[in-house]
Amino acid sequence: MFAAENGLKGDPRLQGISEAIRVVPGFPKPGIMFQDITPLFLDHKVFKDTVDIFVDRYRDMGISVVAGVEARGFMFGPSIALAIGAKFVPLRKPGKLPASVISEQYVLEYGTDCLEMHVGAVQPGERALVIDDLIATGGTLSAAIRLLERMGAEVVECACVIGLPEVKGQCRLRGKPLYILVEPRDIDCCQGM
């Protein structure tokens, strides 16, 4: 569900978030219209608004784990976790975590990849939120859900800053709700950024 459909219709914070996203054509390969969120972090108000919207949604849901998907989920996850009184669990690319891990492979729109999580980072019965910057096919979030559920966590919801209007990946999320702040930007709106 988009934030604008859930009580935030017309909220100027959503427009500010959308306007802060830069479109980079052909990155990381031809045909991809990369939605670059790094300019969002250059404006402390827009960054705070992004985190605040998520915090307002999740503060009373009894979430004890915020799992951030490498790497852009790391930019939002810790702030959200601190604000709602949860721990932050990084879901990393292979070989980045030093202790024992469990792994989950998945398919991207432009290749395949794998996520890893430390064994013991999540306890059975913990309620988890998965955070990432963007959902396209749903493969990454689906892998994150599988990792957390293999450790016995209950995934309450997945959240992304950007999501396709048709959210093709929602059907791959194992029935988990999906919360999205804004739609992807079009290249025409981003000239000069």
Side-chain angles (χ1 to χ4, degrees):
M1 124 184 23
F2 282 89
E5 299 166 355
N6 189 42
L8 295 180
K9 186 175 179 128
D11 190 316
R13 297 177 299 174
L14 295 177
Q15 182 176 348
I17 293 165
S18 181
E19 290 173 356
I21 296 165
R22 171 176 41 211
V23 177
V24 182
F27 183 83
K29 71 179 207 176
I32 302 292
M33 299 298 283
F34 188 78
Q35 303 286 312
D36 181 13
I37 61 164
T38 58
L40 183 147
F41 301 107
L42 301 177
D43 183 329
H44 74 279
K45 181 184 180 326
V46 174
F47 180 34
K48 182 179 184 319
D49 287 345
T50 304
V51 171
D52 286 350
I53 291 169
F54 286 130
V55 168
D56 289 346
R57 179 164 180 83
Y58 298 114
R59 78 165 35 107
D60 295 323
M61 287 190 174
I63 292 169
S64 57
V65 175
V66 176
V69 177
E70 185 168 332
R72 292 173 295 276
F74 294 2
M75 297 175 178
F76 301 102
S79 298
I80 296 165
L82 282 172
I84 66 172
K87 63 182 171 184
F88 176 73
V89 174
L91 305 179
R92 304 235 32 207
K93 301 293 171 90
K96 302 287 186 175
L97 294 171
S100 296
V101 298
I102 61 170
S103 302
E104 191 69 42
Q105 291 191 333
Y106 61 99
V107 177
L108 295 165
E109 52 184 336
Y110 48 85
T112 61
D113 215 334
C114 180
L115 284 179
E116 294 183 341
M117 178 175 67
H118 272 135
V119 172
V122 176
Q123 302 304 311
E126 286 192 292
R127 292 171 52 83
L129 165 68
V130 179
I131 183 84
D132 202 357
D133 68 325
L134 180 139
I135 181 169
T137 67
T140 307
L141 291 178
S142 183
I145 292 166
R146 288 192 304 270
L147 272 178
L148 291 160
E149 288 180 342
R150 285 171 54 199
M151 297 300 293
E154 174 195 350
V155 176
V156 175
E157 191 163 87
C158 295
C160 294
V161 176
I162 308 163
L164 302 174
E166 61 274 14
V167 191
K168 296 175 188 171
Q170 189 165 7
C171 62
R172 297 178 67 185
L173 299 182
R174 303 168 60 99
K176 303 302 177 192
L178 174 63
Y179 187 70
I180 299 167
L181 298 188
V182 298
E183 294 181 16
R185 295 200 66 196
D186 187 41
I187 188 65
D188 294 334
C189 71
C190 305
Q191 299 300 327
M193 286 191 89

PDB file of all heavy atoms in Angstrom, residues 126-158:
ATOM      1  N   GLU A 126      10.130 -13.192  17.616  1.00  0.00           N
ATOM      2  CA  GLU A 126      10.305 -11.743  17.497  1.00  0.00           C
ATOM      3  C   GLU A 126       9.528 -11.226  16.291  1.00  0.00           C
ATOM      4  O   GLU A 126       9.431 -11.905  15.272  1.00  0.00           O
ATOM      5  CB  GLU A 126      11.786 -11.370  17.378  1.00  0.00           C
ATOM      6  CG  GLU A 126      12.525 -11.509  18.677  1.00  0.00           C
ATOM      7  CD  GLU A 126      13.899 -10.869  18.636  1.00  0.00           C
ATOM      8  OE1 GLU A 126      14.770 -11.387  17.913  1.00  0.00           O
ATOM      9  OE2 GLU A 126      14.088  -9.859  19.336  1.00  0.00           O
ATOM     10  N   ARG A 127       8.999 -10.012  16.445  1.00  0.00           N
ATOM     11  CA  ARG A 127       8.234  -9.375  15.373  1.00  0.00           C
ATOM     12  C   ARG A 127       9.161  -8.451  14.592  1.00  0.00           C
ATOM     13  O   ARG A 127       9.804  -7.583  15.176  1.00  0.00           O
ATOM     14  CB  ARG A 127       7.050  -8.600  15.957  1.00  0.00           C
ATOM     15  CG  ARG A 127       6.001  -9.541  16.554  1.00  0.00           C
ATOM     16  CD  ARG A 127       4.925  -8.805  17.329  1.00  0.00           C
ATOM     17  NE  ARG A 127       4.285  -7.712  16.613  1.00  0.00           N
ATOM     18  CZ  ARG A 127       3.281  -7.847  15.752  1.00  0.00           C
ATOM     19  NH1 ARG A 127       2.794  -9.058  15.490  1.00  0.00           N
ATOM     20  NH2 ARG A 127       2.754  -6.797  15.156  1.00  0.00           N
ATOM     21  N   ALA A 128       9.202  -8.660  13.269  1.00  0.00           N
ATOM     22  CA  ALA A 128      10.186  -7.966  12.447  1.00  0.00           C
ATOM     23  C   ALA A 128       9.557  -7.107  11.360  1.00  0.00           C
ATOM     24  O   ALA A 128       8.504  -7.435  10.801  1.00  0.00           O
ATOM     25  CB  ALA A 128      11.123  -8.985  11.799  1.00  0.00           C
ATOM     26  N   LEU A 129      10.252  -6.022  11.063  1.00  0.00           N
ATOM     27  CA  LEU A 129       9.983  -5.151   9.927  1.00  0.00           C
ATOM     28  C   LEU A 129      11.187  -5.256   9.002  1.00  0.00           C
ATOM     29  O   LEU A 129      12.324  -5.195   9.468  1.00  0.00           O
ATOM     30  CB  LEU A 129       9.827  -3.701  10.398  1.00  0.00           C
ATOM     31  CG  LEU A 129       9.899  -2.617   9.322  1.00  0.00           C
ATOM     32  CD1 LEU A 129       8.687  -2.692   8.406  1.00  0.00           C
ATOM     33  CD2 LEU A 129      10.002  -1.237   9.970  1.00  0.00           C
ATOM     34  N   VAL A 130      10.961  -5.419   7.702  1.00  0.00           N
ATOM     35  CA  VAL A 130      12.041  -5.419   6.716  1.00  0.00           C
ATOM     36  C   VAL A 130      11.996  -4.084   5.987  1.00  0.00           C
ATOM     37  O   VAL A 130      10.941  -3.678   5.499  1.00  0.00           O
ATOM     38  CB  VAL A 130      11.888  -6.571   5.702  1.00  0.00           C
ATOM     39  CG1 VAL A 130      13.017  -6.531   4.676  1.00  0.00           C
ATOM     40  CG2 VAL A 130      11.858  -7.919   6.417  1.00  0.00           C
ATOM     41  N   ILE A 131      13.145  -3.407   5.915  1.00  0.00           N
ATOM     42  CA  ILE A 131      13.215  -2.097   5.269  1.00  0.00           C
ATOM     43  C   ILE A 131      14.246  -2.109   4.141  1.00  0.00           C
ATOM     44  O   ILE A 131      15.327  -2.677   4.291  1.00  0.00           O
ATOM     45  CB  ILE A 131      13.539  -0.982   6.296  1.00  0.00           C
ATOM     46  CG1 ILE A 131      13.542   0.417   5.674  1.00  0.00           C
ATOM     47  CG2 ILE A 131      14.854  -1.227   6.996  1.00  0.00           C
ATOM     48  CD1 ILE A 131      12.192   1.033   5.588  1.00  0.00           C
ATOM     49  N   ASP A 132      13.859  -1.518   3.006  1.00  0.00           N
ATOM     50  CA  ASP A 132      14.768  -1.336   1.878  1.00  0.00           C
ATOM     51  C   ASP A 132      14.383  -0.041   1.183  1.00  0.00           C
ATOM     52  O   ASP A 132      13.353   0.561   1.507  1.00  0.00           O
ATOM     53  CB  ASP A 132      14.687  -2.528   0.920  1.00  0.00           C
ATOM     54  CG  ASP A 132      15.931  -2.682   0.051  1.00  0.00           C
ATOM     55  OD1 ASP A 132      16.855  -1.838   0.143  1.00  0.00           O
ATOM     56  OD2 ASP A 132      15.990  -3.645  -0.725  1.00  0.00           O
ATOM     57  N   ASP A 133      15.184   0.368   0.220  1.00  0.00           N
ATOM     58  CA  ASP A 133      14.880   1.631  -0.455  1.00  0.00           C
ATOM     59  C   ASP A 133      13.830   1.472  -1.539  1.00  0.00           C
ATOM     60  O   ASP A 133      13.013   2.352  -1.745  1.00  0.00           O
ATOM     61  CB  ASP A 133      16.144   2.272  -1.019  1.00  0.00           C
ATOM     62  CG  ASP A 133      16.756   1.494  -2.171  1.00  0.00           C
ATOM     63  OD1 ASP A 133      16.690   0.242  -2.162  1.00  0.00           O
ATOM     64  OD2 ASP A 133      17.325   2.123  -3.083  1.00  0.00           O
ATOM     65  N   LEU A 134      13.826   0.320  -2.257  1.00  0.00           N
ATOM     66  CA  LEU A 134      12.977   0.187  -3.435  1.00  0.00           C
ATOM     67  C   LEU A 134      12.524  -1.258  -3.613  1.00  0.00           C
ATOM     68  O   LEU A 134      13.283  -2.179  -3.336  1.00  0.00           O
ATOM     69  CB  LEU A 134      13.779   0.632  -4.666  1.00  0.00           C
ATOM     70  CG  LEU A 134      13.065   0.561  -6.008  1.00  0.00           C
ATOM     71  CD1 LEU A 134      13.394   1.797  -6.840  1.00  0.00           C
ATOM     72  CD2 LEU A 134      13.469  -0.676  -6.778  1.00  0.00           C
ATOM     73  N   ILE A 135      11.300  -1.428  -4.083  1.00  0.00           N
ATOM     74  CA  ILE A 135      10.838  -2.744  -4.508  1.00  0.00           C
ATOM     75  C   ILE A 135      10.551  -2.688  -6.000  1.00  0.00           C
ATOM     76  O   ILE A 135       9.878  -1.780  -6.480  1.00  0.00           O
ATOM     77  CB  ILE A 135       9.594  -3.240  -3.736  1.00  0.00           C
ATOM     78  CG1 ILE A 135       9.197  -4.637  -4.218  1.00  0.00           C
ATOM     79  CG2 ILE A 135       8.460  -2.246  -3.796  1.00  0.00           C
ATOM     80  CD1 ILE A 135       8.166  -5.346  -3.384  1.00  0.00           C
ATOM     81  N   ALA A 136      11.123  -3.659  -6.716  1.00  0.00           N
ATOM     82  CA  ALA A 136      10.859  -3.794  -8.158  1.00  0.00           C
ATOM     83  C   ALA A 136      10.198  -5.143  -8.389  1.00  0.00           C
ATOM     84  O   ALA A 136       8.997  -5.231  -8.590  1.00  0.00           O
ATOM     85  CB  ALA A 136      12.143  -3.646  -8.951  1.00  0.00           C
ATOM     86  N   THR A 137      10.982  -6.219  -8.289  1.00  0.00           N
ATOM     87  CA  THR A 137      10.426  -7.556  -8.522  1.00  0.00           C
ATOM     88  C   THR A 137       9.987  -8.236  -7.226  1.00  0.00           C
ATOM     89  O   THR A 137       9.233  -9.194  -7.263  1.00  0.00           O
ATOM     90  CB  THR A 137      11.467  -8.469  -9.199  1.00  0.00           C
ATOM     91  OG1 THR A 137      12.542  -8.707  -8.286  1.00  0.00           O
ATOM     92  CG2 THR A 137      11.985  -7.838 -10.483  1.00  0.00           C
ATOM     93  N   GLY A 138      10.486  -7.779  -6.099  1.00  0.00           N
ATOM     94  CA  GLY A 138      10.173  -8.390  -4.813  1.00  0.00           C
ATOM     95  C   GLY A 138      11.134  -9.486  -4.404  1.00  0.00           C
ATOM     96  O   GLY A 138      11.011 -10.050  -3.322  1.00  0.00           O
ATOM     97  N   GLY A 139      12.108  -9.789  -5.248  1.00  0.00           N
ATOM     98  CA  GLY A 139      13.048 -10.871  -4.948  1.00  0.00           C
ATOM     99  C   GLY A 139      13.872 -10.644  -3.700  1.00  0.00           C
ATOM    100  O   GLY A 139      14.047 -11.546  -2.879  1.00  0.00           O
ATOM    101  N   THR A 140      14.379  -9.441  -3.524  1.00  0.00           N
ATOM    102  CA  THR A 140      15.221  -9.142  -2.361  1.00  0.00           C
ATOM    103  C   THR A 140      14.403  -9.211  -1.077  1.00  0.00           C
ATOM    104  O   THR A 140      14.827  -9.832  -0.091  1.00  0.00           O
ATOM    105  CB  THR A 140      15.863  -7.754  -2.506  1.00  0.00           C
ATOM    106  OG1 THR A 140      16.540  -7.668  -3.764  1.00  0.00           O
ATOM    107  CG2 THR A 140      16.866  -7.497  -1.389  1.00  0.00           C
ATOM    108  N   LEU A 141      13.241  -8.583  -1.069  1.00  0.00           N
ATOM    109  CA  LEU A 141      12.404  -8.609   0.137  1.00  0.00           C
ATOM    110  C   LEU A 141      11.939 -10.021   0.457  1.00  0.00           C
ATOM    111  O   LEU A 141      11.870 -10.414   1.623  1.00  0.00           O
ATOM    112  CB  LEU A 141      11.207  -7.673  -0.022  1.00  0.00           C
ATOM    113  CG  LEU A 141      11.515  -6.175  -0.045  1.00  0.00           C
ATOM    114  CD1 LEU A 141      10.240  -5.376  -0.266  1.00  0.00           C
ATOM    115  CD2 LEU A 141      12.213  -5.733   1.227  1.00  0.00           C
ATOM    116  N   SER A 142      11.639 -10.791  -0.575  1.00  0.00           N
ATOM    117  CA  SER A 142      11.215 -12.173  -0.363  1.00  0.00           C
ATOM    118  C   SER A 142      12.336 -12.984   0.293  1.00  0.00           C
ATOM    119  O   SER A 142      12.088 -13.781   1.207  1.00  0.00           O
ATOM    120  CB  SER A 142      10.793 -12.796  -1.691  1.00  0.00           C
ATOM    121  OG  SER A 142      10.314 -14.097  -1.491  1.00  0.00           O
ATOM    122  N   ALA A 143      13.566 -12.773  -0.155  1.00  0.00           N
ATOM    123  CA  ALA A 143      14.713 -13.462   0.459  1.00  0.00           C
ATOM    124  C   ALA A 143      14.879 -13.030   1.907  1.00  0.00           C
ATOM    125  O   ALA A 143      15.161 -13.854   2.788  1.00  0.00           O
ATOM    126  CB  ALA A 143      15.988 -13.178  -0.336  1.00  0.00           C
ATOM    127  N   ALA A 144      14.684 -11.746   2.181  1.00  0.00           N
ATOM    128  CA  ALA A 144      14.778 -11.248   3.554  1.00  0.00           C
ATOM    129  C   ALA A 144      13.721 -11.897   4.441  1.00  0.00           C
ATOM    130  O   ALA A 144      14.011 -12.313   5.567  1.00  0.00           O
ATOM    131  CB  ALA A 144      14.637  -9.729   3.562  1.00  0.00           C
ATOM    132  N   ILE A 145      12.510 -11.992   3.943  1.00  0.00           N
ATOM    133  CA  ILE A 145      11.434 -12.639   4.698  1.00  0.00           C
ATOM    134  C   ILE A 145      11.800 -14.092   5.000  1.00  0.00           C
ATOM    135  O   ILE A 145      11.652 -14.557   6.138  1.00  0.00           O
ATOM    136  CB  ILE A 145      10.105 -12.562   3.918  1.00  0.00           C
ATOM    137  CG1 ILE A 145       9.602 -11.119   3.836  1.00  0.00           C
ATOM    138  CG2 ILE A 145       9.043 -13.466   4.560  1.00  0.00           C
ATOM    139  CD1 ILE A 145       8.490 -10.908   2.817  1.00  0.00           C
ATOM    140  N   ARG A 146      12.281 -14.804   3.990  1.00  0.00           N
ATOM    141  CA  ARG A 146      12.653 -16.216   4.198  1.00  0.00           C
ATOM    142  C   ARG A 146      13.749 -16.354   5.253  1.00  0.00           C
ATOM    143  O   ARG A 146      13.677 -17.248   6.111  1.00  0.00           O
ATOM    144  CB  ARG A 146      13.081 -16.848   2.878  1.00  0.00           C
ATOM    145  CG  ARG A 146      11.917 -17.090   1.923  1.00  0.00           C
ATOM    146  CD  ARG A 146      12.287 -17.966   0.737  1.00  0.00           C
ATOM    147  NE  ARG A 146      13.408 -17.477  -0.036  1.00  0.00           N
ATOM    148  CZ  ARG A 146      13.309 -16.646  -1.083  1.00  0.00           C
ATOM    149  NH1 ARG A 146      12.131 -16.209  -1.476  1.00  0.00           N
ATOM    150  NH2 ARG A 146      14.391 -16.275  -1.735  1.00  0.00           N
ATOM    151  N   LEU A 147      14.754 -15.481   5.216  1.00  0.00           N
ATOM    152  CA  LEU A 147      15.830 -15.536   6.228  1.00  0.00           C
ATOM    153  C   LEU A 147      15.265 -15.358   7.632  1.00  0.00           C
ATOM    154  O   LEU A 147      15.581 -16.135   8.540  1.00  0.00           O
ATOM    155  CB  LEU A 147      16.851 -14.428   5.967  1.00  0.00           C
ATOM    156  CG  LEU A 147      18.002 -14.711   5.031  1.00  0.00           C
ATOM    157  CD1 LEU A 147      18.866 -13.466   4.865  1.00  0.00           C
ATOM    158  CD2 LEU A 147      18.851 -15.865   5.508  1.00  0.00           C
ATOM    159  N   LEU A 148      14.458 -14.330   7.820  1.00  0.00           N
ATOM    160  CA  LEU A 148      13.906 -14.050   9.143  1.00  0.00           C
ATOM    161  C   LEU A 148      12.981 -15.169   9.626  1.00  0.00           C
ATOM    162  O   LEU A 148      13.040 -15.576  10.792  1.00  0.00           O
ATOM    163  CB  LEU A 148      13.162 -12.710   9.124  1.00  0.00           C
ATOM    164  CG  LEU A 148      14.084 -11.491   8.959  1.00  0.00           C
ATOM    165  CD1 LEU A 148      13.300 -10.293   8.454  1.00  0.00           C
ATOM    166  CD2 LEU A 148      14.789 -11.181  10.271  1.00  0.00           C
ATOM    167  N   GLU A 149      12.167 -15.684   8.732  1.00  0.00           N
ATOM    168  CA  GLU A 149      11.254 -16.767   9.119  1.00  0.00           C
ATOM    169  C   GLU A 149      12.006 -18.054   9.419  1.00  0.00           C
ATOM    170  O   GLU A 149      11.584 -18.818  10.292  1.00  0.00           O
ATOM    171  CB  GLU A 149      10.203 -16.982   8.035  1.00  0.00           C
ATOM    172  CG  GLU A 149       9.181 -15.847   7.999  1.00  0.00           C
ATOM    173  CD  GLU A 149       8.109 -16.024   6.938  1.00  0.00           C
ATOM    174  OE1 GLU A 149       8.293 -16.822   5.984  1.00  0.00           O
ATOM    175  OE2 GLU A 149       7.075 -15.335   7.054  1.00  0.00           O
ATOM    176  N   ARG A 150      13.100 -18.309   8.733  1.00  0.00           N
ATOM    177  CA  ARG A 150      13.911 -19.494   9.040  1.00  0.00           C
ATOM    178  C   ARG A 150      14.464 -19.438  10.453  1.00  0.00           C
ATOM    179  O   ARG A 150      14.714 -20.474  11.077  1.00  0.00           O
ATOM    180  CB  ARG A 150      15.051 -19.636   8.033  1.00  0.00           C
ATOM    181  CG  ARG A 150      14.563 -20.153   6.690  1.00  0.00           C
ATOM    182  CD  ARG A 150      15.619 -20.113   5.607  1.00  0.00           C
ATOM    183  NE  ARG A 150      16.850 -20.786   5.962  1.00  0.00           N
ATOM    184  CZ  ARG A 150      18.013 -20.574   5.340  1.00  0.00           C
ATOM    185  NH1 ARG A 150      18.096 -19.729   4.324  1.00  0.00           N
ATOM    186  NH2 ARG A 150      19.094 -21.230   5.713  1.00  0.00           N
ATOM    187  N   MET A 151      14.648 -18.224  10.987  1.00  0.00           N
ATOM    188  CA  MET A 151      15.130 -18.053  12.359  1.00  0.00           C
ATOM    189  C   MET A 151      13.980 -17.973  13.357  1.00  0.00           C
ATOM    190  O   MET A 151      14.194 -17.767  14.545  1.00  0.00           O
ATOM    191  CB  MET A 151      16.002 -16.795  12.457  1.00  0.00           C
ATOM    192  CG  MET A 151      17.268 -16.864  11.613  1.00  0.00           C
ATOM    193  SD  MET A 151      18.366 -18.234  12.052  1.00  0.00           S
ATOM    194  CE  MET A 151      18.896 -17.735  13.667  1.00  0.00           C
ATOM    195  N   GLY A 152      12.731 -18.086  12.874  1.00  0.00           N
ATOM    196  CA  GLY A 152      11.573 -18.113  13.759  1.00  0.00           C
ATOM    197  C   GLY A 152      10.916 -16.771  13.995  1.00  0.00           C
ATOM    198  O   GLY A 152      10.001 -16.667  14.812  1.00  0.00           O
ATOM    199  N   ALA A 153      11.358 -15.718  13.291  1.00  0.00           N
ATOM    200  CA  ALA A 153      10.740 -14.406  13.458  1.00  0.00           C
ATOM    201  C   ALA A 153       9.408 -14.345  12.715  1.00  0.00           C
ATOM    202  O   ALA A 153       9.191 -15.072  11.743  1.00  0.00           O
ATOM    203  CB  ALA A 153      11.674 -13.317  12.938  1.00  0.00           C
ATOM    204  N   GLU A 154       8.551 -13.459  13.167  1.00  0.00           N
ATOM    205  CA  GLU A 154       7.299 -13.158  12.475  1.00  0.00           C
ATOM    206  C   GLU A 154       7.492 -11.843  11.737  1.00  0.00           C
ATOM    207  O   GLU A 154       7.674 -10.793  12.367  1.00  0.00           O
ATOM    208  CB  GLU A 154       6.151 -13.017  13.484  1.00  0.00           C
ATOM    209  CG  GLU A 154       4.863 -12.554  12.851  1.00  0.00           C
ATOM    210  CD  GLU A 154       3.833 -12.074  13.862  1.00  0.00           C
ATOM    211  OE1 GLU A 154       4.024 -12.265  15.076  1.00  0.00           O
ATOM    212  OE2 GLU A 154       2.827 -11.497  13.412  1.00  0.00           O
ATOM    213  N   VAL A 155       7.491 -11.875  10.424  1.00  0.00           N
ATOM    214  CA  VAL A 155       7.633 -10.644   9.644  1.00  0.00           C
ATOM    215  C   VAL A 155       6.266  -9.965   9.592  1.00  0.00           C
ATOM    216  O   VAL A 155       5.314 -10.510   9.041  1.00  0.00           O
ATOM    217  CB  VAL A 155       8.192 -10.923   8.232  1.00  0.00           C
ATOM    218  CG1 VAL A 155       8.244  -9.631   7.417  1.00  0.00           C
ATOM    219  CG2 VAL A 155       9.569 -11.567   8.325  1.00  0.00           C
ATOM    220  N   VAL A 156       6.187  -8.782  10.188  1.00  0.00           N
ATOM    221  CA  VAL A 156       4.936  -8.040  10.295  1.00  0.00           C
ATOM    222  C   VAL A 156       4.635  -7.307   8.991  1.00  0.00           C
ATOM    223  O   VAL A 156       3.500  -7.290   8.528  1.00  0.00           O
ATOM    224  CB  VAL A 156       5.007  -7.040  11.474  1.00  0.00           C
ATOM    225  CG1 VAL A 156       3.776  -6.159  11.533  1.00  0.00           C
ATOM    226  CG2 VAL A 156       5.229  -7.784  12.779  1.00  0.00           C
ATOM    227  N   GLU A 157       5.684  -6.694   8.403  1.00  0.00           N
ATOM    228  CA  GLU A 157       5.487  -5.908   7.190  1.00  0.00           C
ATOM    229  C   GLU A 157       6.839  -5.637   6.555  1.00  0.00           C
ATOM    230  O   GLU A 157       7.875  -5.710   7.210  1.00  0.00           O
ATOM    231  CB  GLU A 157       4.792  -4.579   7.529  1.00  0.00           C
ATOM    232  CG  GLU A 157       4.288  -3.795   6.349  1.00  0.00           C
ATOM    233  CD  GLU A 157       3.280  -2.724   6.726  1.00  0.00           C
ATOM    234  OE1 GLU A 157       3.710  -1.599   7.065  1.00  0.00           O
ATOM    235  OE2 GLU A 157       2.065  -3.029   6.696  1.00  0.00           O
ATOM    236  N   CYS A 158       6.806  -5.315   5.268  1.00  0.00           N
ATOM    237  CA  CYS A 158       7.973  -4.832   4.537  1.00  0.00           C
ATOM    238  C   CYS A 158       7.698  -3.373   4.191  1.00  0.00           C
ATOM    239  O   CYS A 158       6.550  -3.001   3.920  1.00  0.00           O
ATOM    240  CB  CYS A 158       8.193  -5.626   3.256  1.00  0.00           C
ATOM    241  SG  CYS A 158       8.595  -7.359   3.544  1.00  0.00           S
TER     242      CYS A 158
END
